[in-house]
Amino acid sequence: MIQSMTGYGKAVATFQDKKIHVEIKSLNSKTTDLSTRIAPIYRDKEMEIRQIVTNSLKRGKIDLSLWVEKENTTSATPINAALVENYYHQIKDIAAKAGIPEPSDWFATLLRLPDVTLKTDVEELTDEEWAVARQTLLTALGELNAFRRQEGAALEKKFTEKVDNIERLLHELEPFEKSRVPKIRETIVKELEEIPNVDYDKNRLEQELIYYIEKLDISEEKQRLANHLKYFRETMAENKPNGKKLGFIAQEMGREINTTGSKSNQAEMQNIVVKMKDELEQIKEQVLNAL
């Protein structure tokens, strides 16, 4: 079963006054390339987060965002009332002693003074919140993997179509392969007979023809290519990531097709080989997206 490396997953969960968001995107890559943007409160869990993502996605260029959205009603910064009162009395005493007027807008003056609005609480990650965040991460990963399977099914359909086309074209070579031996013999004999005053040894000619035809024989290439096509189908059916393996098989298929082309000395056979190369090139392009 093929999976694509392209995918997208997103999940949101609520914990107390927070909304925990996780968003993951992945593209094709030869290795695991993971980039993260994690809210400061979860930084201590970054190594665990990376391990979870890597174990789930295996391979690809992956972008992970984990952030927290707080409710507006609970995000106000507390005011230090005792300090405000202390500032108030100090300003009144100074104004009385110095003979200067008191501020006309006391609140505007006091709230601008140092440490009046100061966040005194330190946010810490609790086990309960991490459990919710971790499950949110797993949910987003599940969505991404479902996306990958869906894309993988489309890849498998495409690969099956292309492999079937190559196999069909391989069979189309057979009539030309069988007919070209008599044609080669006929052409050589005709060329010899057109040379005046030349007497040739027919037995030697037969030996040379056999040697020449053996050099052009594509039976082994056809058999190996058929085996590679079969192996490609079997590998697609395996229930594990196998994109690299499919890429290697496609390379071997290319070698056999190229050798067949170099041995095909008829225009009709060359045309069929070109079509096979075109089908294989489309496989090679898409196999880069397979996990």
Side-chain angles (χ1 to χ4, degrees):
M1 180 180 181
I2 295 177
Q3 289 189 41
S4 171
M5 274 189 281
T6 302
Y8 175 80
K10 184 177 181 180
V12 182
T14 302
F15 178 79
Q16 295 179 356
D17 61 339
K18 302 176 180 179
K19 280 187 177 179
I20 302 170
H21 297 258
V22 177
E23 186 176 78
I24 311 175
K25 303 173 185 177
S26 70
L27 296 171
N28 62 307
S29 175
K30 291 182 178 180
T31 58
T32 302
D33 181 8
L34 174 58
S35 300
T36 61
R37 291 180 295 279
I38 301 174
I41 191 173
Y42 303 118
R43 286 285 165 77
D44 289 344
K45 299 291 185 180
E46 183 169 357
M47 293 306 297
E48 184 176 348
I49 290 170
R50 283 180 169 274
Q51 186 174 8
I52 291 170
V53 173
T54 302
N55 290 342
S56 177
L57 301 185
K58 309 298 182 187
R59 188 160 65 99
K61 180 175 173 56
I62 305 160
D63 288 319
L64 166 69
S65 297
L66 194 163
W67 74 96
V68 175
E69 179 184 359
K70 293 188 177 180
E71 295 292 339
N72 293 331
T73 55
T74 62
S75 61
T77 302
I79 297 173
N80 191 333
L83 186 59
V84 169
E85 187 176 357
N86 192 310
Y87 278 138
Y88 172 74
H89 289 302
Q90 288 188 59
I91 293 172
K92 284 186 69 71
D93 290 343
I94 293 170
K97 290 177 181 178
I100 57 177
E102 296 178 1
S104 59
D105 189 344
W106 274 102
F107 274 109
T109 301
L110 292 171
L111 292 176
R112 286 199 297 266
L113 294 173
D115 299 331
V116 169
T117 55
L118 181 64
K119 199 79 171 178
T120 56
D121 57 320
V122 178
E123 193 173 25
E124 293 184 359
L125 179 64
T126 63
D127 292 341
E128 292 79 9
E129 180 176 347
W130 170 238
V132 174
R134 188 178 188 278
Q135 184 56 51
T136 309
L137 174 62
L138 293 174
T139 301
L141 287 169
E143 278 197 11
L144 190 147
N145 279 322
F147 192 107
R148 280 181 160 191
R149 287 191 293 271
Q150 182 179 346
E151 290 292 306
L155 281 178
E156 186 170 349
K157 182 179 178 182
K158 187 75 171 179
F159 289 153
T160 301
E161 175 189 337
K162 297 304 172 184
V163 168
D164 289 347
N165 288 345
I166 293 174
E167 190 170 53
R168 174 180 53 78
L169 290 166
L170 186 60
H171 290 310
E172 289 183 10
L173 287 172
E174 292 178 4
F176 300 104
E177 185 185 8
K178 292 176 181 178
S179 65
R180 70 174 176 161
V181 174
K183 285 184 179 179
I184 292 171
R185 186 192 308 275
E186 181 182 342
T187 301
I188 293 175
V189 171
K190 185 178 179 181
E191 293 289 338
L192 286 172
E193 289 177 347
E194 288 180 355
I195 301 175
N197 303 320
V198 172
D199 188 20
Y200 60 87
D201 186 338
K202 292 186 177 181
N203 290 329
R204 180 62 184 273
L205 175 62
E206 289 296 326
Q207 291 175 1
E208 292 296 332
L209 280 172
I210 291 171
Y211 174 77
Y212 180 61
I213 291 167
E214 282 179 349
K215 298 291 284 185
L216 297 178
D217 183 49
I218 60 172
S219 300
E220 291 186 9
E221 287 77 10
K222 286 171 54 186
Q223 185 59 52
R224 285 195 293 266
L225 180 55
N227 290 338
H228 292 328
L229 294 172
K230 180 183 177 184
Y231 192 30
F232 195 95
R233 290 193 181 97
E234 291 172 352
T235 303
M236 283 197 297
E238 292 177 0
N239 190 24
K240 61 181 180 180
N242 48 26
K244 287 184 178 180
K245 188 175 179 181
L246 290 173
F248 295 146
I249 298 171
Q251 289 178 10
E252 294 302 318
M253 290 161 59
R255 288 191 180 94
E256 302 307 329
I257 292 174
N258 287 334
T259 306
T260 300
S262 67
K263 290 185 175 184
S264 299
N265 62 339
Q266 286 183 260
E268 295 87 352
M269 295 179 72
Q270 288 285 354
N271 291 339
I272 293 172
V273 169
V274 169
K275 292 177 183 178
M276 293 168 71
K277 287 182 177 181
D278 181 52
E279 298 292 335
L280 180 62
E281 194 61 31
Q282 294 181 58
I283 291 176
K284 286 182 175 180
E285 288 176 2
Q286 294 300 322
V287 83
L288 296 175
N289 294 320
L291 179 62

